[in-house]
């Protein structure tokens, strides 16, 4: 929103400097991004009066002009098509600088030119380059062009939050300036324009839940081809609007001034009564931007007997637009409920000034004043005979009074602001307020859609009082050093462990593509978003694996060969009712998970180790190190995201806590990866528990080692053999581990060979060979009895 200073002063005349006003507005919540003059200094650019115009002897499109610059006439060669004797235009004399370019005396096609007559584009005032910028007739030749065009005016560029739709107008900003500076807000209600004819156009509101009020006026006999006055064109351009035609410029002017969007129809193109209703399937409308859209029952339309002629609150239609040949017009001023307009323009891939305002809420009491202001301007510029204003009211918003407790406001703000000052704030803001029994009751005005709850009024008090005037008192409390639980580690410590193992952390959006949920979680019914920020990110994730695969794809596309990434984040699972820490959502569980993925070489390129691709056991080792000192078990199982034969369920104390495996070949091909990444995903709670270490006696005596080679059925797992060791009491056995595996043609069918190393040790004495052999034999007999294992020679 760009607000020209002089336009703003039409409503409120303040005394403080503009830079200070910009700071006050910013501190009050209306962020001022820039406060700059209309144009750069423009030294050497003066008012020039064209005395005569002659054709250039060597160029048909150039003219040789004699220009009065306040002294002796100067000769200037000009190519503008609108140059003529008697006009006044900006003249850049030799030495002037425009856009970093210095103007010099030169010869153009053999004719001397001592300066340059300028367009608005060359001065940096607008995008208009059709011809010379014509100055007012009263401008004095030789005087500075800044004075003639009031270029000392400052422009305020405001960045407004979505709740402050009331400030999308000069009047709205003027209310804020008056409240902040104490200056008086000038009377701004337009005077009614008396009807001179009886012409009316029939109106109807079929769907009042979308349109609560519709006002209109017929003006007959207008000259729509009349030029827009310079003063209006200049204000529109400085506010960021391009001048189009007199009628369109008037509606834009009223919208910027009062915040009231209007629309002008050619009445002769209307077929029957205007009706505001929801669209119907199959109906189409060609809009003013040349786009044809199809509407449905969720889109509010302006219609006549021919069907839709515009999208309500968004854009008018091509079939009924007012043109320079229009003689009779119908002026529309309606109130549309924000919920009926929000999101509709974005659905069709565009936005408009009207939709931007209606989505945030437009003053529903400004319909008739907007028509009166526009009528006055149209009659002044285009002439015509106005008919009576028709104001059809069906349903208006019910603004409930809002109560604010004084004590509550003081507590929230953090300082004892007196109730008299609070009353003064409400008065300066134009908010009707009554004080009774320690609280204020405020009736929100029709233009303030953001005042609904007590906290809204507290905010108004705080910002008008001045956030900078609220003392910054640091909280005081007894310093207490809380003991860190030894049996738990923080998620930050988990992140440090992963980073130490050469992984880099990623942070991804929690809303993902539906295809990711189907591919990586087998989830056909994920939690869907009602209003996604993008059409492809429309569901909440139930796994972190999809995001990590996307990270690998993005990095691989940028030619990174070795990629190791991890993420700590929440997933969203449907459940009847669940809680997860401080977050609670009915029917939704939101646990924190930790996931990692590795792709490419297992190690950085080096001379000491042959290059090999990362595999299942590399990530298994990383996960075991992450879980330490807790020992995990890994069971072969199927997961929709993982390779059927290279995936495992992770178990801790018999309970499943996650998954580990290689990406499924189907998804590797679909997501165009040259080799499969290896991934794991586990519950964060399993990583944050860290049992206290248990000290054991360290033996000073040498261990005894025995090897056992067995022949077992291929269905027998190594883990089952190791688990069975706990069933026999062999106190001298300190550890059993697999060190060799063989399966091939030299063995009987259905058999495999396993070799275990048994470490035996006592803390009090040296073991004898007989004791070691007895323990070894006990293990062989156990495995033979339980698994039909045969000892190999």
């Amino acid at each position: 929103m760009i607000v020209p200073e002089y336009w703003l002063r039409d409503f409120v005349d303040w005394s403080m400097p503009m830079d200070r006003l910009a700071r006050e507005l910013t501190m009050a919540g209306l962020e001022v991004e820039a406060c700059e003059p209309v144009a750069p200094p423009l030294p050497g650019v003066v008012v020039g009066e064209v005395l005569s115009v002659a054709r250039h002897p060597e160029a048909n499109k150039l003219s040789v002009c004699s220009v009065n610059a306040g002294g002796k006439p100067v000769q200037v060669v000009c190519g503008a098509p609108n140059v003529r004797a008697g006009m006044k235009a900006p003249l850049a004399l030799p030495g002037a600088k425009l856009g970093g370019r210095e103007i010099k005396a030169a010869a153009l096609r053999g004719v001397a030119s001592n300066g340059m007559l300028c367009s608005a584009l060359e001065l940096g005032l607008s995008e208009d380059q059709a011809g010379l910028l014509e100055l007012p007739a009263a401008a004095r030749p030789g005087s500075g062009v800044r004075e003639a065009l009031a270029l000392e005016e400052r422009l305020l560029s405001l960045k407004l939050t979505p709740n402050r739709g009331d400030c999308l107008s000069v009047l709205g900003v003027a209310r804020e300036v008056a409240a902040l500076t104490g200056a008086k807000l000038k009377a701004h209600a337009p005077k009614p324009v008396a009807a001179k004819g009886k012409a009316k156009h029939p109106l109807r509101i079929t769907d009042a839940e979308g349109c609560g009020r519709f006002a209109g006026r017929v003006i007959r006999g207008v000259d729509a081809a009349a030029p827009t006055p310079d003063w209006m064109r200049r204000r529109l351009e400085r506010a960021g609007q391009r001048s189009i035609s007199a009628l369109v410029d008037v509606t834009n002017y009223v919208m910027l001034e009062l915040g009231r969007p209007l629309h002008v129809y050619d009445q002769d193109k209307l077929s029957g009564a205007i009706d505001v209703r929801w669209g119907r399937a199959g109906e189409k409308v060609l809009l003013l931007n040349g786009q044809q859209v199809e509407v449905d029952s969720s889109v509010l339309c302006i219609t006549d007997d021919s069907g839709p002629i515009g999208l309500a609150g968004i854009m008018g239609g091509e079939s009924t637009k007012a043109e320079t040949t229009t003689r009779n017009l119908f002026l529309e001023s309606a109130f549309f409920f924000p919920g009926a307009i929000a999101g509709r323009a974005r659905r069709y891939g565009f936005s408009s000034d009207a939709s931007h305002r209606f989505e945030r809420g437009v003053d529903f009491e400004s319909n008739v004043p907007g028509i009166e202001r526009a009528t006055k301007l149209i009659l002044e510029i285009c002439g015509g005979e106005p008919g009576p204003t028709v104001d059809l009211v069906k349903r208006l918003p019910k603004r409930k009074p809002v109560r604010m407790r004084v004590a509550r406001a003081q507590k929230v703000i953090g300082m004892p602001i007196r109730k008299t000052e609070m009353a003064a704030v409400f008065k300066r803001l134009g908010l009707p307020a009554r004080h009774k029994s320690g609280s204020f009751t405020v009736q929100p005005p029709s233009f303030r859609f953001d005042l609904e709850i007590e906290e809204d009024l507290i905010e108004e008090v705080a910002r008008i009082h001045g956030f900078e005037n609220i003392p910054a008192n640091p909280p005081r409390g007894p310093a207490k050093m809380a003991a860190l639980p030894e049996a738990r580690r923080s998620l930050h410590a988990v992140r440090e462990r992963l980073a130490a193992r050469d992984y880099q952390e990623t942070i991804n959006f929690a809303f993902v593509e539906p295809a990711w949920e189907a591919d990586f979680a087998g989830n056909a019914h994920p939690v869907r978003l009602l209003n996604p920020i993008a059409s492809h990110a429309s569901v909440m994730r139930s796994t972190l694996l999809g995001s990590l695969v996307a990270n690998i794809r993005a990095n691989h596309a940028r030619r990174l060969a070795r990629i190791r990434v991890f993420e700590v984040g929440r997933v969203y699972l449907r459940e009847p009712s669940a809680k997860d820490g401080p977050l609670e959502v009915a029917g939704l569980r939101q646990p924190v998970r930790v996931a990692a993925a590795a792709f490419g070489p297992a190690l950085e390129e080096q001379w000491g180790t042959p290059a090999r691709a990362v595999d299942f056991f590399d990530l298994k080792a990383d996960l075991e190190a992450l879980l330490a000192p807790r020992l995990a078990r890994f069971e072969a199982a199927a997961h929709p995201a993982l390779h059927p034969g290279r995936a495992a369920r992770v178990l801790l104390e018999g309970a499943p806590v996650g998954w580990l495996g290689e990406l499924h070949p189907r998804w590797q091909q679909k997501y165009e990866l040259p080799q499969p990444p290896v991934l794991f995903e586990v519950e964060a709670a399993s990583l944050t528990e860290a049992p206290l270490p248990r000290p054991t006696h360290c033996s000073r005596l040498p261990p005894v080692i025995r090897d056992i080679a067995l022949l077992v059925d291929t269905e027998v797992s190594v883990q089952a053999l190791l688990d069975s060791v706990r069933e026999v009491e062999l106190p001298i056995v300190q550890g059993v581990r697999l060190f060799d595996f063989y399966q091939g043609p030299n063995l009987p069918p259905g058999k495999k060979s396993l070799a275990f190393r048994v470490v035996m040790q006592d803390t009090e004495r040296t073991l004898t060979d007989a004791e070691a052999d007895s323990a070894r034999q006990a293990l062989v007999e156990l495995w033979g009895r339980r698994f039909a294992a045969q000892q190999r020679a």
Side-chain angles (χ1 to χ4, degrees):
M1 178 71 186
I2 302 176
V3 182
E5 175 190 355
Y6 295 164
W7 199 350
L8 187 60
R9 287 190 182 275
D10 286 350
F11 292 89
V12 58
D13 198 6
W14 65 94
S15 58
M16 67 174 59
M18 282 294 291
D19 290 335
R20 183 182 169 191
L21 177 65
R23 180 179 178 277
E24 293 287 338
L25 287 170
T26 299
M27 294 304 297
L30 275 66
E31 181 183 352
V32 178
E33 293 186 302
C35 178
E36 299 172 340
V38 172
L42 301 177
V45 182
V46 299
V47 176
E49 181 182 11
V50 180
L51 301 177
S52 63
V53 178
R55 172 177 285 185
H56 193 289
E58 300 295 333
N60 293 332
K61 293 185 178 181
L62 296 180
S63 302
V64 180
C65 306
S66 176
V67 182
N68 176 14
K72 184 179 179 181
V74 296
Q75 180 173 285
V76 177
V77 177
C78 177
N82 65 332
V83 63
R84 69 181 189 279
M87 75 176 299
K88 294 180 179 178
L91 172 64
L93 297 172
K97 291 185 178 180
L98 298 177
R101 179 168 60 99
E102 183 176 351
I103 304 300
K104 298 179 180 179
L108 297 179
R109 304 289 293 269
V111 177
S113 179
N114 297 301
M116 183 178 75
L117 292 169
C118 305
S119 67
L121 178 66
E122 289 161 336
L123 295 180
L125 301 180
S126 74
E127 298 299 319
D128 184 8
Q129 56 180 344
L132 299 180
L133 174 62
E134 190 161 356
L135 301 178
R140 182 172 52 85
S143 62
V145 74
R146 293 185 66 84
E147 177 185 349
L149 292 176
L151 298 183
E152 297 296 338
E153 181 180 17
R154 306 284 289 274
L155 302 178
L156 291 170
S157 297
L158 302 178
K159 183 180 181 181
L160 301 174
T161 52
N163 65 314
R164 293 310 304 271
D166 61 296
C167 290
L168 288 169
S169 65
V170 177
L171 174 59
V173 177
R175 291 192 187 104
E176 290 292 310
V177 173
L180 293 170
T181 64
K184 185 178 180 181
L185 186 66
K186 300 177 184 179
H188 54 271
K191 294 181 180 179
V193 177
K196 294 184 179 180
K198 297 181 179 181
K200 295 182 181 180
H201 195 88
L203 304 176
R204 186 167 61 248
I205 300 176
T206 297
D207 295 306
E209 66 274 16
C211 175
R213 187 174 192 173
F214 197 102
R217 187 174 212 167
V218 173
I219 304 177
R220 305 184 68 84
V222 298
D223 178 12
T228 301
D230 290 339
W231 65 268
M232 180 179 287
R233 184 186 297 110
R234 189 177 305 121
R235 279 193 170 180
L236 289 173
E237 289 174 350
R238 293 182 183 182
Q241 288 281 350
R242 181 173 58 91
S243 178
I244 299 174
S245 67
L247 294 178
V248 175
D249 290 349
V250 165
T251 59
N252 285 336
Y253 187 89
V254 175
M255 178 187 69
L256 293 174
E257 184 175 70
L258 304 180
R260 162 47 58 188
L262 303 171
H263 187 66
V264 176
Y265 300 88
D266 188 327
Q267 193 197 17
D268 297 330
K269 297 179 181 179
L270 294 172
S271 301
I274 287 181
D275 185 16
V276 187
R277 59 169 174 83
W278 297 110
R280 296 166 185 162
E283 289 185 324
K284 296 181 180 180
V285 57
L286 180 63
L287 301 177
L288 290 173
N289 62 0
Q291 181 178 349
Q292 187 177 50
V293 299
E294 183 172 346
V295 300
D296 56 32
S297 59
S298 66
V299 179
L300 194 65
C301 297
I302 308 296
T303 68
D304 63 6
D305 292 348
S306 66
I309 57 174
L311 299 182
I314 298 175
M315 186 174 290
E318 182 74 17
S319 63
T320 57
K321 73 174 182 179
E323 301 176 284
T324 55
T325 57
T326 295
R327 294 292 296 163
N328 305 312
L329 63 86
F330 176 74
L331 185 61
E332 167 208 305
S333 177
F335 169 74
F336 304 109
F337 286 92
I341 307 301
R344 273 62 170 188
R346 288 193 300 275
R347 178 191 304 182
Y348 296 118
F350 69 92
S351 182
S352 66
D353 290 324
S355 67
H356 186 73
R357 286 162 172 80
F358 279 118
E359 287 176 341
R360 288 155 175 77
V362 171
D363 184 2
F364 51 84
E365 296 293 347
S366 68
N367 294 60
V368 174
I371 281 188
E372 298 295 348
R373 177 62 168 150
T375 300
K376 180 176 183 296
L377 293 172
I378 290 173
L379 296 181
E380 290 177 355
I381 300 170
C382 304
E385 180 183 272
T389 298
V390 178
D391 186 17
L392 181 59
V393 180
K394 279 295 187 76
R395 175 176 169 235
L396 297 179
K398 296 179 180 179
R399 306 307 309 277
K400 296 180 180 180
V402 182
R403 178 172 171 264
M404 185 195 78
R405 295 161 291 174
V406 173
R408 172 66 177 165
Q410 292 172 339
K411 181 179 180 181
V412 172
I413 295 172
M415 65 178 298
I417 300 178
R418 297 187 301 274
K419 64 181 181 181
T420 53
E421 184 177 348
M422 295 181 184
V425 166
F426 295 139
K427 183 177 180 181
R428 288 160 62 183
L429 287 169
L431 303 179
R434 293 182 293 104
H435 179 264
K436 184 179 180 181
S437 302
S439 65
F440 285 93
T441 301
V442 174
Q443 179 62 48
S446 57
F447 54 85
R448 292 296 300 269
F449 280 76
D450 59 317
L451 301 180
E452 294 182 338
I453 59 176
E454 183 178 32
E455 284 71 17
D456 295 331
L457 296 181
I458 295 174
E459 179 188 2
E460 295 300 295
V461 172
R463 68 186 190 86
I464 299 301
H465 174 79
F467 291 117
E468 70 278 16
N469 296 324
I470 299 176
N473 297 324
R476 295 182 179 181
K480 185 178 181 180
M481 185 68 70
L484 296 176
E486 291 186 80
R488 293 190 64 83
R489 65 170 70 102
S490 67
L491 284 176
H492 183 70
V494 174
R495 291 182 173 96
E496 286 185 333
R497 284 193 168 204
L498 280 162
R501 298 194 73 82
D502 209 15
Y503 289 87
Q504 296 192 33
E505 184 175 9
T506 65
I507 300 176
N508 296 295
F509 284 119
F511 19 86
V512 298
E513 298 182 26
W516 292 5
E517 282 297 293
D519 295 348
F520 302 114
N523 187 1
H525 302 287
V527 179
R528 293 195 172 274
L529 297 169
L530 294 177
N531 186 24
I533 62 171
S535 58
H536 63 275
S538 59
V539 301
M540 302 300 290
R541 64 185 180 186
S542 63
T543 177
L544 305 179
L545 299 183
S547 300
L548 294 183
V549 171
N551 296 147
I552 289 174
R553 287 189 68 198
N555 284 278
H556 175 67
R558 287 158 179 79
R559 300 184 180 278
L560 268 71
R562 184 172 183 267
I563 305 165
R564 297 167 70 87
V565 291
F566 78 92
E567 182 175 8
V568 179
R570 291 189 181 273
V571 296
Y572 302 85
L573 311 174
R574 290 187 184 278
E575 287 206 357
S577 179
K579 289 185 179 180
D580 185 59
L583 295 180
E584 178 180 359
V585 177
L588 196 66
R589 188 166 64 91
Q590 306 174 54
V592 178
R593 288 185 183 171
V594 178
F599 173 87
L603 301 171
E604 292 284 3
E605 187 176 3
Q606 56 172 298
W607 66 90
T609 303
R612 65 174 180 85
V614 66
D615 60 22
F616 176 95
F617 296 100
D618 291 317
L619 256 74
K620 179 174 180 286
D622 291 337
L623 181 55
E624 288 176 331
L626 202 60
L627 290 165
R630 305 179 76 187
L631 298 177
R633 292 187 57 176
F634 300 86
E635 289 184 349
H639 187 281
L642 304 177
H643 192 296
R646 300 172 188 173
R649 181 185 288 111
V650 184
L651 303 172
L652 277 178
E653 300 174 0
V657 296
W659 290 87
L660 165 69
E662 188 178 286
L663 187 66
H664 198 292
R666 184 187 301 120
W667 312 138
Q668 177 191 346
Q669 181 180 9
K670 177 178 178 178
Y671 294 98
E672 300 176 338
L673 295 172
Q675 70 181 68
V678 187
L679 314 98
F680 71 74
E681 181 178 28
V682 295
E683 302 290 340
S686 65
L687 301 176
T688 55
E689 296 180 14
L692 295 177
R694 295 182 179 180
T696 59
H697 186 75
C698 184
S699 178
R700 295 179 297 170
L701 303 173
V704 177
I705 297 176
R706 293 288 188 270
D707 292 342
I708 303 175
L710 299 175
L711 198 64
V712 298
D713 294 338
T714 54
E715 294 81 9
V716 177
S717 69
V718 172
Q719 189 65 54
L721 293 167
L722 295 176
D723 290 344
S724 66
V725 175
R726 302 192 187 97
E727 298 179 9
V728 294
E729 293 186 4
L730 297 172
I732 64 174
V733 176
Q734 302 297 316
V736 180
R737 69 178 182 87
L738 179 75
F739 72 88
D740 188 44
F741 166 82
Y742 175 74
Q743 190 172 9
N746 297 328
L747 297 179
K751 297 290 184 179
K752 62 183 177 182
S753 174
L754 303 174
F756 294 93
R757 179 151 293 168
V758 184
V759 179
M760 293 169 278
Q761 192 175 36
D762 194 280
T763 59
E764 301 295 337
R765 59 188 177 83
T766 302
L767 296 177
T768 64
D769 288 341
E771 291 174 313
D773 291 340
S774 175
R776 176 182 178 278
Q777 187 60 31
L779 290 175
V780 172
E781 292 175 356
L782 169 67
W783 289 334
R785 186 171 59 255
R786 291 284 304 276
F787 305 103
Q790 303 173 20
Q791 185 176 0
R792 298 186 64 192

